Amino acid sequence: MADATPISVVTVTYNSARVIADCLAGIPRAIPVVLVDNDSGDETVAIARAIRPEMRILPLGDNRGFGAGANLGLAEVTTPMGLLLNPDARLRPGALDALAAAAARYPEAGLLAPCSWDGSGRLEFGRQPLFGAWSEAGGKEVIPDGDCCALYLAGSAMCFRLEAFAGVGGFDEAIFLYFEDDDVCLRLAHAGWSLVHVADAHVDHLAGRSSDGVAGLDYWKHWHQGWSRLHMEAKHHGRAAALALALPRLALFAMKAGTYRLLGAEAKHRRYGGRLGGTWGYLAGRQARSVRLGRS
């Protein structure tokens, strides 16, 4: 890509020492990079600084969540486009060129995303958007042959037209973790922007590896998943809809958490215990950002 690139890369880290070197290695040296670190307790920042000493690093004094960190990083970008890249994702050669070319082809696109491939070689495309609908009968996964508009673009690599991103107010910082990508996709679409999946841009995504090994993180991830789901329901459908969703979930999660505890299935116990806690926390008026995740 030419030096006068229209794209900068932003990554938000939290105890990402295991993956950040590989992520940065996939970004061409000419590309401006901003790293926002959510108070990692490992060597994330030191590793990143050693690999790219010229890059802008924002080491935060506390963990502010993914969306808040992304907003800070994207606010530092001076190019027209900002690619928000997970630290457990690596760009394949030519990905940024393909995204830049697509942005020029589709000036109505507020958000573009590359093909994201998981560790098994499967394309991460076709997840049902939270409040969207499938165009195919039966909700079958649809794999596009070329560029296409979508209702939702996954958050592992999101290339924003910053005019559009700023116009909708960026990420909702009330959401600490989970569904912030659904929310920004909905708001961009409602504002009249297109969401474009770019077929000839590619990224490899080792899902779930951004903060591997963080003590206590498993429970709190599910806590935030439960909380954020209800926040989204209330935000887009109203408080009554959130309450209607929450009440049966309390009973379901309590039953499953208790059952898996008796069976000694600790991972599943933490999953449903976390979702139960997040659901109850939302109903009790607890703010997601007040929860501090464990550190390794």
Side-chain angles (χ1 to χ4, degrees):
M1 178 173 281
D3 288 345
T5 173
I7 300 178
S8 299
V9 174
V10 174
T11 189
V12 179
T13 55
Y14 177 66
N15 286 39
S16 304
R18 300 184 188 187
V19 294
I20 191 60
D22 199 42
C23 173
L24 294 176
I27 304 171
R29 300 299 301 193
I31 300 300
V33 180
V34 180
L35 184 147
V36 182
D37 185 72
N38 266 323
D39 196 25
S40 291
D42 64 6
E43 297 301 310
T44 298
V45 172
I47 292 169
R49 187 172 282 125
I51 292 171
R52 292 187 78 123
E54 81 287 355
M55 101 179 144
R56 179 88 164 106
I57 297 179
L58 303 178
L60 305 183
D62 58 346
N63 187 351
R64 303 183 192 180
F66 178 80
N71 285 344
L72 286 170
L74 288 165
E76 296 287 321
V77 170
T78 58
T79 52
M81 310 290 297
L83 175 66
L84 182 60
L85 184 67
N86 272 18
D88 59 0
R90 177 168 175 149
L91 296 168
R92 292 187 185 178
L96 291 174
D97 287 315
L99 287 169
R105 284 197 305 275
Y106 311 118
E108 74 284 2
L111 173 61
L112 304 101
C115 299
S116 181
W117 302 92
D118 68 17
S120 64
R122 179 179 175 273
L123 181 64
E124 298 176 331
F125 183 85
R127 182 177 81 75
Q128 185 171 0
L130 193 57
F131 301 132
W134 289 105
S135 59
E136 292 282 323
K140 295 180 180 179
E141 186 177 46
V142 178
I143 305 299
D145 292 327
D147 296 347
C148 68
C149 288
L151 295 172
Y152 164 83
L153 295 174
S156 61
M158 308 177 82
C159 189
F160 292 99
R161 194 178 302 276
L162 293 179
E163 171 194 359
F165 184 77
V168 299
F171 285 105
D172 180 354
E173 296 189 9
I175 301 174
F176 188 91
L177 190 65
Y178 290 114
F179 298 114
E180 62 282 300
D181 47 357
D182 296 80
D183 179 63
V184 78
C185 285
L186 282 166
R187 288 186 286 117
L188 284 167
H190 290 164
W193 294 96
S194 296
L195 315 177
V196 176
H197 173 83
V198 182
D200 55 352
H202 301 275
V203 63
D204 292 304
H205 180 215
L206 297 175
R209 293 284 302 279
S210 293
S211 50
D212 249 358
V214 182
L217 186 60
D218 189 41
Y219 173 87
W220 286 116
K221 278 185 173 181
H222 291 293
W223 194 101
H224 285 292
Q225 193 172 62
W227 189 96
S228 297
R229 179 64 184 86
L230 295 180
H231 173 81
M232 283 286 290
E233 193 71 26
K235 180 175 182 176
H236 293 279
H237 288 158
R239 177 74 176 176
L243 290 174
L245 180 65
L247 296 178
R249 285 186 162 216
L250 281 175
L252 176 65
F253 295 155
M255 179 191 71
K256 289 194 171 187
T259 299
Y260 287 122
R261 182 64 178 269
L262 290 172
L263 294 173
E266 286 302 312
K268 290 184 177 180
H269 167 67
R270 288 193 299 273
R271 177 189 307 168
Y272 291 105
R275 291 179 188 178
L276 174 64
T279 301
W280 178 254
Y282 176 85
L283 293 174
R286 189 173 182 182
Q287 295 300 305
R289 286 182 62 191
S290 69
V291 177
R292 185 172 179 81
L293 301 182
R295 296 179 69 174
S296 61

